Amino acid sequence: SWTGMIAQKGCLFTPHIVQVAAGAPMTFLNNDHILHNIHTISEANLSINKAQPGFMKKRTETFSLPEMIKIQCDVHSWMSAWIVVQEHPFYAVTDASGQFTLTDVPAGTYTIESWHEKLGTQTATVTVPATGTVTADFTFKGE
């Protein structure tokens, strides 16, 4: 299982989107010397709302069920991020140019989903060959 980690640094959650396997440890670091809190907004998993004072550098939680979880700090209203809890390793966060790569996907036909926190979700069907690559293009239009 792959673990996840998000830092509270400079009163921001970093990275803004973090991935973790269902049932694997998710670590929250407080790199600031001030009070933060971990407040998750979820449907499938129990929500968490726990203080993380400046002296508590590390807290670990576990999310058992796959879902997209919003996290915020109630102390600093501008602090928010997303935890993507998955039951399989075939997901990625895009790079700065919007590119991503999934590797070692078994041959077969799949529905691939692309999500943007403000622009929504899009899906496409792709057929992965036994050897070679497949390209899936998504275009999100801004408001």
Side-chain angles (χ1 to χ4, degrees):
S1 66
W2 54 102
T3 62
M5 185 179 320
I6 194 166
Q8 299 162 95
K9 186 175 182 180
C11 288
L12 295 172
F13 286 112
T14 305
H16 185 65
I17 299 174
V18 66
Q19 305 163 45
V20 65
M26 175 70 206
T27 302
F28 299 88
L29 301 176
N30 185 345
N31 295 328
D32 295 332
H33 297 287
I34 59 174
L35 172 69
H36 287 300
N37 90 307
I38 300 163
H39 185 179
T40 63
I41 301 165
S42 57
E43 294 179 13
N45 294 280
L46 291 176
S47 292
I48 296 167
N49 193 355
K50 295 182 178 178
Q52 190 167 6
F55 65 83
M56 182 184 288
K57 296 299 175 195
K58 182 177 177 182
R59 177 184 286 283
T60 303
E61 302 288 342
T62 302
F63 304 100
S64 300
L65 301 170
E67 74 170 319
M68 302 272 302
I69 299 174
K70 185 169 186 179
I71 179 173
Q72 59 192 36
C73 174
D74 294 334
V75 179
H76 305 100
S77 61
W78 62 88
M79 289 179 65
S80 69
W82 293 89
I83 301 168
V84 181
V85 184
Q86 287 285 2
E87 59 188 346
H88 57 75
F90 305 113
Y91 57 81
V93 175
T94 60
D95 63 19
S97 64
Q99 304 292 313
F100 68 94
T101 302
L102 300 177
T103 59
D104 300 322
V105 178
T109 299
Y110 301 92
T111 298
I112 187 168
E113 181 177 279
S114 182
W115 171 84
H116 185 280
E117 71 178 294
K118 293 182 180 168
L119 303 177
T121 302
Q122 294 183 17
T123 59
T125 300
V126 296
T127 300
V128 176
T131 60
T133 61
V134 171
T135 300
D137 291 318
F138 294 95
T139 302
F140 287 90
K141 295 190 170 141
E143 302 173 321

